[in-house]
């Protein structure tokens, strides 16, 4: 594992704040890390590790020179937040974290786009992480914006909304690249996910509007979900209808808008007809009144 040296020049004491501020750079474990106390150069300062005054037992691994602190060796007791204090004020905070090894069999990032509009969503699904951030990589890495989340849902997942600049009318030639960083204890996991936008398309559920009685069948009217791209004549959807027979309660399916008569309920789902996208979730069951 390598040591992640993350310098944060701000006064927040939240450990998860490492994910939402300045700069990351990697250093070899054997190379000393020099920590500075903001812009102070000739002031008496106090250094703390994880909120506590640095213990004398760490002196063999730390070197002080004025307002500068150099960490010469790294192990669990020496990982975490190094904060520099002067006059009772936190001048700067620096985090030393170990890079966690990624399980090649696990993909912790799942992404979905409801349409070809400029936004899509991603979730972080691995348990045990206290803060996560994602970004969509861009040509100028310094201008790529991180999107952070330090509050998981009750099931332990983190949710993100990202924006892209792809034209919805042009054929995709370049994959989107999402980079994720997540913290657990004093370890940070970094992973990258690559995909085409068309590969994560999954529309919302369609709307069953009405049914009309025809001589031999019922004609079901289905509207695309409100979140689907427009114009609908260009962004076409195919639908599948599930229905329940009044006579025997059996379920049937139709890939057209025509379904048999004498059915009690119908529901539908949709997908992009041109790229064979994932099916949407089924719409709620609708009682048939015609």
């Amino acid at each position: 594992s390598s040591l992640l040296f993350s310098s944060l020049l701000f006064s927040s004491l939240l450990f998860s704040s490492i994910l939402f501020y300045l700069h990351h750079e990697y250093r070899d474990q054997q190379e000393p890390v020099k920590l500075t106390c903001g812009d102070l150069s000739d002031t008496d300062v106090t250094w703390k590790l994880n909120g506590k005054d640095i213990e004398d037992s760490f002196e063999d691994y730390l070197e002080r020179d004025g307002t500068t602190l150099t960490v010469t060796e790294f192990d669990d007791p020496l990982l975490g937040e190094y904060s520099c204090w002067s006059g009772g004020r936190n001048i700067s905070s620096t985090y030393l974290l170990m890079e966690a090894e990624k399980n090649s069999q696990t993909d912790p990032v799942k992404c979905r786009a409801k349409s070809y509009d400029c936004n899509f969503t991603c979730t972080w699904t691995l348990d045990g992480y206290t803060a996560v951030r994602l970004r969509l990589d861009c040509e100028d890495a310094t201008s790529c914006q991180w999107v952070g989340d330090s509050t998981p849902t009750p099931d332990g997942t983190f949710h993100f909304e990202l924006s892209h600049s792809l034209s919805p009318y042009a054929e995709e030639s370049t994959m989107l690249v999402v980079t994720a960083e997540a913290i657990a204890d004093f370890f940070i996991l970094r992973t990258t996910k690559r995909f085409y936008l068309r590969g994560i398309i999954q529309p919302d559920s369609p709307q069953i509007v009405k049914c009309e009685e025809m001589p031999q069948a019922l004609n079901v009217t289905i509207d695309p979900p409100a979140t689907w791209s427009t114009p609908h004549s260009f962004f076409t959807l195919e639908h599948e209808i599930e229905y329940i027979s009044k006579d025997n309660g059996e379920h049937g399916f139709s890939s057209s808008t025509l379904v048999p008569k004498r059915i009690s309920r119908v529901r539908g789902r949709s997908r992009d007809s041109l790229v064979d996208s994932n099916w949407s979730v089924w719409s709620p069951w609708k009682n048939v009144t015609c």
Side-chain angles (χ1 to χ4, degrees), residues 116-120 136-140 143-144 162-172 174-177 195 197:
Y116 290 94
D117 296 341
C118 62
N119 296 323
F120 63 98
L136 181 63
D137 290 3
C138 52
E139 292 184 4
D140 180 7
S143 65
C144 300
L162 303 175
S163 300
H164 64 82
S165 58
L166 298 176
S167 169
Y169 303 101
E171 184 176 353
E172 285 185 273
T174 304
M175 300 183 84
L176 297 172
V177 180
F195 53 86
L197 180 64

Side-chain angles (χ1 to χ4, degrees), residues 43-157:
T43 305
D44 290 334
V45 300
T46 300
W47 285 95
K48 296 183 179 183
L49 174 56
N50 298 322
K52 298 180 180 180
D53 290 346
I54 291 178
E55 301 175 8
D56 293 338
S57 58
F58 292 159
E59 290 298 327
D60 291 341
Y61 313 107
L62 304 172
E63 298 176 357
R64 303 176 194 240
D65 183 10
T67 61
T68 300
L69 181 71
T70 301
V71 185
T72 59
E73 293 189 27
F74 314 103
D75 203 349
D76 287 352
L78 292 166
L79 298 177
E81 178 201 21
Y82 286 82
S83 56
C84 175
W85 296 75
S86 177
R89 187 166 61 96
N90 186 356
I91 306 301
S92 67
S93 293
T94 300
Y95 290 83
L96 297 184
L97 304 176
M98 296 297 293
E99 184 180 19
E101 293 185 5
K102 181 180 181 296
N103 185 341
S104 59
Q105 305 300 317
T106 303
D107 182 6
V109 180
K110 309 295 183 184
C111 296
R112 176 203 171 196
K114 297 179 179 180
S115 69
Y116 290 94
D117 296 341
C118 62
N119 296 323
F120 63 98
T121 60
C122 293
T123 58
W124 175 273
T125 59
L126 285 185
D127 292 335
Y129 290 86
T130 55
V132 183
R133 72 174 183 174
L134 268 63
R135 78 175 182 191
L136 181 63
D137 290 3
C138 52
E139 292 184 4
D140 180 7
T142 60
S143 65
C144 300
Q145 298 296 312
W146 288 100
V147 178
D149 190 349
S150 59
T151 309
T153 56
D155 63 358
T157 60

Side-chain angles (χ1 to χ4, degrees), residues 12-26:
S12 173
L13 297 181
L14 293 176
F15 178 66
S16 61
S17 59
I18 185 175
L19 289 176
F20 311 122
Y21 291 84
L22 296 179
H23 173 66
H24 299 290
E25 68 180 68
Y26 288 95

Side-chain angles (χ1 to χ4, degrees), residues 256-267:
S256 74
T257 60
L258 297 178
V259 299
K261 292 185 177 182
R262 293 195 57 75
I263 59 174
S264 59
R265 294 193 297 172
V266 294
R267 66 177 183 174

